[in-house]
Amino acid sequence: MLLNDIDFDKIIAIARDAGSAIMEIYAGEFNVELKGDNSPLTCADRASHRVIVEGLTAATPDIPILSEEGRAIPYTERIAWSRFWLVDPLDGTKEFIKRNGEFTVNIALVEDGLVTAGVVYVPAQSTMYFGCMGAGCWKTVDGEESVKIKVREADYNAGLTVVMSRSHPSPELEAYLQKIKVTEAMPVGSSLKLCVVAEGKADLYPRLGPTMEWDTAAGHAVVEAAGGTVAQVDGTPLRYNKENLLNPYFIVKGK
């Protein structure tokens, strides 16, 4: 699949290669470090980062890269980027450490502050989600033929299936959920939360807690390519490449 001047099949292959590097480490023993914000870091994060940066640099040498594990790029440099790759080499490190399989590789293309394409790979499940604005969204399992996916239409009277973080509950979320009719609460790790909305397994994902831009960009692209929306609580678009890379609270909705 071509996205303007980008062979998107190469980007999908890079995500799969990064997932393979992660799974080699997942199969054995590994040490866990703490970063400055007390979030965990493993050698799998670093291995995935290396694979992705090397792959993207070879495939698209003119497009800069901002990765969680290479975030120290000053805003004075980033502000000149009209498009760039926004990468989370291993989203859901806590899920990786727990060995529950709900961790992902995330690669998104950002243009003029908005996501235009994204890949989310779930290596422990051999599942790939990818979407491009204006083209659609697909899912493939075990390398089989890709199936087009789309969000489902919510029935607010019957009640909603709501996705929530497995690792980051918040009082704000509890208050929000009391205002709507919830028939099922679905705890899910990492950017998989956005993907289950994209494929029509859930209606809503309110994120009323802190996230960073690399946590959401690829899943954001997948949701919107599948016909859903990702917006701030007041309805304004969720934008990327801000000076402060912390996201505001946001709501993910199906149709």
Side-chain angles (χ1 to χ4, degrees):
M1 179 171 59
L2 283 174
L3 177 66
N4 298 323
D5 56 335
I6 298 169
D7 182 349
F8 211 62
D9 290 333
K10 288 185 178 179
I11 311 308
I12 292 167
I14 291 167
R16 188 172 280 115
D17 289 345
S20 296
I22 289 170
M23 292 307 292
E24 285 182 17
I25 295 165
Y26 191 62
E29 298 299 320
F30 51 84
N31 294 322
V32 179
E33 303 172 27
L34 289 180
K35 293 188 279 192
D37 59 359
N38 283 328
S39 61
L41 175 70
T42 71
C43 53
D45 297 78
R46 294 195 181 98
S48 178
H49 170 79
R50 284 194 298 271
V51 170
I52 294 170
V53 170
E54 288 173 8
L56 291 178
T57 300
T60 58
D62 297 330
I63 303 178
I65 303 164
L66 178 63
S67 169
E68 178 179 11
E69 305 314 327
R71 65 177 83 178
I73 300 173
Y75 184 62
T76 51
E77 179 180 341
R78 290 191 288 109
I79 197 172
W81 294 355
S82 59
R83 70 174 176 169
F84 68 101
W85 294 110
L86 183 52
V87 173
D88 192 340
L90 175 50
D91 184 37
T93 302
K94 290 181 179 178
E95 316 309 330
F96 177 87
I97 294 166
K98 293 174 187 173
R99 297 183 186 271
N100 69 11
E102 293 183 350
F103 49 88
T104 57
V105 175
N106 298 268
I107 304 174
L109 184 65
V110 177
E111 301 184 79
D112 298 322
L114 299 174
V115 290
T116 55
V119 176
V120 176
Y121 183 48
V122 195
Q125 302 173 22
S126 297
T127 300
M128 184 84 68
Y129 300 87
F130 56 98
C132 301
M133 300 307 157
C137 189
W138 292 265
K139 176 184 177 181
T140 181
V141 181
D142 288 326
E144 295 181 356
E145 186 175 352
S146 300
V147 176
K148 203 162 190 178
I149 60 173
K150 62 181 181 180
V151 297
R152 72 186 187 191
E153 189 161 353
D155 185 341
Y156 282 81
N157 293 323
L160 305 177
T161 298
V162 179
V163 190
M164 56 191 64
S165 175
R166 195 179 288 283
S167 300
H168 306 279
S170 73
E172 292 90 344
L173 176 61
E174 293 295 325
Y176 179 88
L177 294 177
Q178 307 222 339
K179 300 175 184 176
I180 58 177
K181 185 175 181 180
V182 179
T183 53
E184 182 183 359
M186 185 185 294
V188 179
S190 72
S191 59
L192 263 174
K193 293 184 286 295
L194 292 100
C195 295
V196 296
V197 175
E199 64 181 316
K201 290 184 176 179
D203 304 297
L204 188 69
Y205 166 38
R207 184 53 190 247
L208 307 180
T211 56
M212 302 300 291
E213 289 189 6
W214 45 75
D215 294 323
T216 59
H220 182 165
V222 165
V223 168
E224 294 205 339
T229 60
V230 181
Q232 297 183 51
V233 176
D234 64 4
T236 56
L238 196 63
R239 298 189 66 87
Y240 295 87
N241 203 24
K242 306 183 302 296
E243 182 171 7
N244 183 346
L245 294 166
L246 182 70
N247 284 326
Y249 291 173
F250 60 89
I251 310 291
V252 179
K253 295 181 181 179
K255 194 170 180 181

